[in-house]
């Protein structure tokens, strides 16, 4: 992989009325993103639903698979 593919970037997590910045890597799985959210917001991974452009994200797919990049905004729903 080119070095640029391994560079971290910040995405925006929108939860209720608040937006949070989260630094991730393109290689992160959605599960890893949810774990990072759990570490910050104390919402267990199994209770999180993440959506990007109205698509519910699969835990086993990567951030790169969905084309999520710098400043992309994901919506967090708590089950």
């Amino acid at each position: 992989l080119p070095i640029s593919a391994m560079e971290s970037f910040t995405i925006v997590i929108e939860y209720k009325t608040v937006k949070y910045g989260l630094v991730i890597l393109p290689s992160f799985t959605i599960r890893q993103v949810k774990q990072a959210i759990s570490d910050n917001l104390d919402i267990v991974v199994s209770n999180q639903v993440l959506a990007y452009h109205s698509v519910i994200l699969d835990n086993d797919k990567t951030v790169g698979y969905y084309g999520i990049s710098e400043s992309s905004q994901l919506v967090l729903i708590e089950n």
Side-chain angles (χ1 to χ4, degrees):
L1 286 173
I3 292 186
S4 61
M6 296 311 296
E7 288 177 1
S8 64
F9 56 89
T10 303
I11 59 170
V12 177
I13 304 297
E14 183 180 346
Y15 176 59
K16 297 183 177 173
T17 59
V18 186
K19 294 181 181 180
Y20 301 89
L22 188 66
V23 177
I24 61 169
L25 290 168
S27 59
F28 272 25
T29 62
I30 299 305
R31 184 176 284 106
Q32 286 173 297
V33 173
K34 289 180 177 180
Q35 185 58 58
I37 291 169
S38 177
D39 295 344
N40 286 282
L41 296 181
D42 207 33
I43 303 168
V44 293
V45 169
S46 58
N47 288 352
Q48 295 180 41
V49 176
L50 277 178
Y52 179 57
H53 293 310
S54 303
V55 174
I56 301 297
L57 306 182
D58 184 321
N59 283 344
D60 297 323
K61 299 275 197 303
T62 65
V63 167
Y65 172 87
Y66 288 109
I68 296 164
S69 59
E70 179 72 37
S71 301
S72 289
Q73 189 165 304
L74 278 59
V75 176
L76 171 63
I77 302 140
E78 186 177 4
N79 269 345

